[in-house]
Amino acid sequence: MAGRLLKVSSLATAVFASSGFYLYNRQVDINDLSIIRFGRAAATTVVISYDYLTAFRHVEYGTEEYWALKSKVHRRSAERLRDLCCANRGTFIKVGQHLGALDYLLPEEYTSTLKVLHSRAPQSSMEEIRQVIREDLRKELSELFVSFDEKPQGAASLAQVHRAVLHDGRTVAVKVQHPKVQKQSSKDILVMEVLLKAVHWLFPDFAFMWLVEEAKKNMPLELDFLNEGHNAEKVANMLAHFPFLKVPMIHWDLSTKRILTMDFAEGGQVNDRDYMKEHSINVNEISENLGKMYSEMIFVHGFVHCDPHPGNVLVRKCPQSKKTEIVLLDHGLYQVLQPDFRMDYCRLWQALIKGDMSGVESYSRRLGAGDLYPLFACVLTARSWTAVNAGISSVPVTRAEDVEIRTNAARYLPQISDLLNRVPRQMLLLLKTNDLLRGIETTLQTRASSSSFINMSRCCIRAVARHKRSKAQTRTRHLQITLSESVSLWKLSVYELFLWVKGSTVVHWLTALLAFLH
């Protein structure tokens, strides 16, 4: 027995030593090894699970002490998750960023902690960037560009962007994929799937498998930069009637699956109020135009840019016209909405804006919410049930209501995760998009303005009318639908004019003068 043990231990030592020598010679980063990445993720999962299992043993459910302790556990767990994402990088950071964007779906402790991942993305070395360009474009940097800034303009979870100048003098942005991401992504998603199933087994109320399903579907698309280029061109043509929208032109001769070259776009991030003040950019105009853009994408075309975090939405003053412009970047993640889903979603929003509760229930059920339709309405609008009942366009958002929504996100997490597993997969990216747009509106302090609801209503009316016309059997019916659409849009325009007059300075002066004379 002792002899066998000695042989086994000698063999293990030899294997370990030779493996170490091999890895040393190959200069393999230990963080790239699947076993290390899995072990780190598994250890973090075990620690977080143990914390939730044991922390509340001696605390009575529902007491102030319970909720205070739960907040601390959420915070500790979120920090551990953040550290895991930073250590494993790549796909882990991407999924962490996704979670950090779900402001009104997850406890505040998670979203605020994971938001930092947008600024903690890894950078590839300049040698790695050169190697990717060499492999994909078959030329050296000096042959392709007059100059190439070694310091990236920005680094994200999957790629980083460098500023460069072409031989014809044009300035471009070159987006280069991190070399290891492609190889690691499928293994990372498998790791997440295994660990999430284990967590669900331990905590049946925890039902976040939708996260892995979405990552499985979307990651290959996001890693294909040619797909991103085609999306950019499609949305630029689709929204060409908006003069304020700019989408950088793609240079196809310098683009591959791992490299995307486009015109370089200057501008400040959409949530940078100081930049807007410095450049005399009207925050209300930006918020309104952003709402127009996304309402058109969602309700009219069903082709939706699903990653509008501030780094992907720039604002600027056009040097020639001096008009305000929005520059939309990063077109890797789009959601294509099925026509029936899009119509139900349109009609649900119309019901929410008007306070039509039978419509809210009916269309929420059609979208898979079932008996959780009140929660679905609150999640979708980030408003309280009281505001939903009154009609979200007629009740202004208050700070107290925002706090209530965030608190309920923590308390109703099991029901929210159940809801997210019920609704169609298309809804998940829309919810993320809604939350990112709300975050921008909150920063700009333009949240839930009447103009945003008017723009949304206008797009809903057009979308429903277009859908009805496609089903119309006769020319008379076609004409009726068009007239009805025109009347509805005219009513909205009159209402918009009324709100403008009501809020104008002249009316305020007249009101003050009449009060003084009286």
Side-chain angles (χ1 to χ4, degrees):
M1 179 64 76
R4 283 184 186 176
L5 190 60
L6 182 62
K7 284 180 182 177
V8 169
S9 60
S10 300
L11 182 62
T13 303
V15 169
F16 183 78
S18 59
S19 299
F21 182 72
Y22 172 78
L23 293 174
Y24 177 78
N25 280 336
R26 289 290 300 272
Q27 294 183 325
V28 173
D29 185 345
I30 196 168
N31 289 311
D32 297 337
L33 299 177
S34 297
I35 188 69
I36 298 295
R37 298 169 71 78
F38 175 78
R40 193 183 282 136
T44 303
T45 304
V46 168
V47 171
I48 291 174
S49 300
Y50 183 77
D51 201 0
Y52 276 104
L53 281 169
T54 58
F56 308 102
R57 281 179 180 172
H58 307 296
V59 182
E60 186 181 345
Y61 176 81
T63 61
E64 283 189 24
E65 186 185 359
Y66 174 87
W67 293 116
L69 179 59
K70 192 160 194 176
S71 177
K72 288 179 182 176
V73 176
H74 282 333
R75 182 74 62 188
R76 288 198 298 263
S77 302
E79 288 169 355
R80 288 167 180 146
L81 196 56
R82 176 201 62 204
D83 293 342
L84 168 65
C85 292
C86 290
N88 275 5
R89 298 170 297 185
T91 309
F92 280 83
I93 284 187
K94 191 70 182 176
V95 172
Q97 289 173 342
H98 188 158
L99 290 172
L102 302 177
D103 277 313
Y104 297 90
L105 299 180
L106 294 180
E108 185 274 338
E109 294 86 355
Y110 276 91
T111 55
S112 62
T113 303
L114 294 174
K115 267 182 171 50
V116 302
L117 292 175
H118 282 295
S119 57
R120 295 275 289 272
Q123 285 189 19
S124 293
S125 68
M126 196 55 213
E127 185 46 50
E128 288 174 318
I129 296 299
R130 282 196 184 92
Q131 185 60 29
V132 171
I133 289 173
R134 197 179 292 127
E135 287 172 4
D136 283 32
L137 296 177
R138 307 292 182 187
K139 288 184 179 178
E140 295 297 328
L141 271 181
S142 56
E143 297 177 77
L144 298 167
F145 307 103
V146 173
S147 67
F148 189 94
D149 291 356
E150 294 200 2
K151 185 181 178 183
Q153 295 289 309
S157 54
L158 306 181
Q160 61 193 51
V161 177
H162 292 261
R163 183 174 183 157
V165 178
L166 299 175
H167 287 285
D168 62 9
R170 287 178 295 171
T171 304
V172 292
V174 186
K175 182 175 179 179
V176 185
Q177 195 172 112
H178 298 310
K180 299 163 188 172
V181 168
Q182 191 86 241
K183 189 168 59 178
Q184 290 171 345
S185 63
S186 56
K187 295 174 187 174
D188 286 346
I189 291 168
L190 181 61
V191 166
M192 291 179 203
E193 186 172 18
V194 169
L195 294 176
L196 279 175
K197 282 181 178 176
V199 172
H200 181 55
W201 179 75
L202 275 174
F203 304 95
D205 284 341
F206 182 91
F208 273 71
M209 289 311 296
W210 57 269
L211 194 60
V212 172
E213 290 169 18
E214 285 302 292
K216 267 185 181 177
K217 184 181 77 176
N218 296 321
M219 196 57 67
L221 296 174
E222 290 193 77
L223 288 170
D224 181 358
F225 289 175
L226 293 177
N227 173 65
E228 180 178 341
H230 291 306
N231 286 343
E233 288 193 341
K234 181 174 178 177
V235 83
N237 292 329
M238 190 176 85
L239 302 182
H241 56 287
F242 288 140
F244 60 79
L245 175 63
K246 300 298 171 188
V247 177
M249 189 185 79
I250 306 299
H251 294 257
W252 290 109
D253 57 324
L254 294 172
S255 297
T256 68
K257 281 197 169 189
R258 294 193 297 169
I259 300 168
L260 188 66
T261 305
M262 67 206 95
D263 284 348
F264 188 85
E266 301 274 8
Q269 289 194 3
V270 71
N271 63 344
D272 189 345
R273 288 178 64 87
D274 292 335
Y275 176 89
M276 293 194 206
K277 189 175 181 181
E278 184 185 336
H279 291 82
S280 304
I281 293 173
N282 187 326
V283 292
N284 292 311
E285 183 186 350
I286 290 295
S287 185
E288 185 175 344
N289 286 343
L290 202 56
K292 281 181 184 176
M293 224 166 74
Y294 270 88
S295 291
E296 186 92 7
M297 281 191 232
I298 293 168
F299 300 114
V300 179
H301 299 284
F303 185 69
V304 190
H305 179 281
C306 287
D307 203 10
H309 75 75
N312 290 340
V313 186
L314 305 182
V315 293
R316 68 184 187 188
K317 275 283 180 76
C318 176
Q320 288 79 33
S321 67
K322 301 300 178 186
K323 290 184 179 178
T324 302
E325 294 179 340
I326 293 175
V327 183
L328 196 59
L329 306 173
D330 198 342
H331 300 270
L333 188 57
Y334 271 76
Q335 180 68 279
V336 179
L337 306 181
Q338 297 303 315
D340 290 342
F341 171 89
R342 184 165 54 88
M343 285 302 101
D344 287 338
Y345 192 63
C346 271
R347 290 181 171 116
L348 173 57
W349 269 104
Q350 286 179 309
L352 286 165
I353 290 168
K354 295 174 188 172
D356 170 13
M357 295 316 295
S358 63
V360 169
E361 179 179 355
S362 172
Y363 290 110
S364 294
R365 287 183 183 278
R366 283 174 66 97
L367 288 168
D371 294 334
L372 292 175
Y373 73 88
L375 178 63
F376 181 55
C378 294
V379 162
L380 193 59
T381 59
R383 302 296 303 271
S384 66
W385 184 238
T386 305
V388 170
N389 270 279
I392 57 173
S393 62
S394 59
V395 181
V397 179
T398 63
R399 173 142 184 84
E401 186 186 8
D402 254 351
V403 171
E404 179 189 345
I405 290 290
R406 288 177 182 275
T407 304
N408 286 340
R411 294 192 176 185
Y412 294 107
L413 188 57
Q415 291 89 335
I416 290 173
S417 59
D418 181 24
L419 175 67
L420 295 179
N421 275 297
R422 288 187 188 190
V423 296
R425 300 296 91 185
Q426 298 173 82
M427 183 61 70
L428 300 176
L429 282 178
L430 279 185
L431 290 172
K432 174 197 171 186
T433 306
N434 283 346
D435 271 357
L436 284 166
L437 291 172
R438 271 190 216 107
I440 292 169
E441 287 179 344
T442 301
T443 305
L444 298 182
Q445 297 172 8
T446 57
R447 174 93 190 277
S449 62
S450 56
S451 63
S452 66
F453 290 123
I454 288 169
N455 289 325
M456 194 181 283
S457 297
R458 192 173 276 124
C459 285
C460 287
I461 289 167
R462 286 170 51 212
V464 171
R466 181 188 287 186
H467 181 72
K468 285 180 178 176
R469 274 195 294 269
S470 70
K471 304 283 185 183
Q473 299 292 321
T474 64
R475 190 171 294 176
T476 305
R477 177 62 184 147
H478 197 280
L479 183 60
Q480 283 175 341
I481 294 165
T482 302
L483 285 172
S484 176
E485 177 191 12
S486 300
V487 169
S488 297
L489 291 173
W490 177 78
K491 284 180 180 176
L492 264 183
S493 297
V494 170
Y495 179 60
E496 189 174 27
L497 179 63
F498 165 74
L499 290 177
W500 179 80
V501 170
K502 185 181 173 185
S504 68
T505 309
V506 175
V507 171
H508 286 305
W509 284 349
L510 287 173
T511 305
L513 180 62
L514 288 171
F516 174 75
L517 292 173
H518 180 69

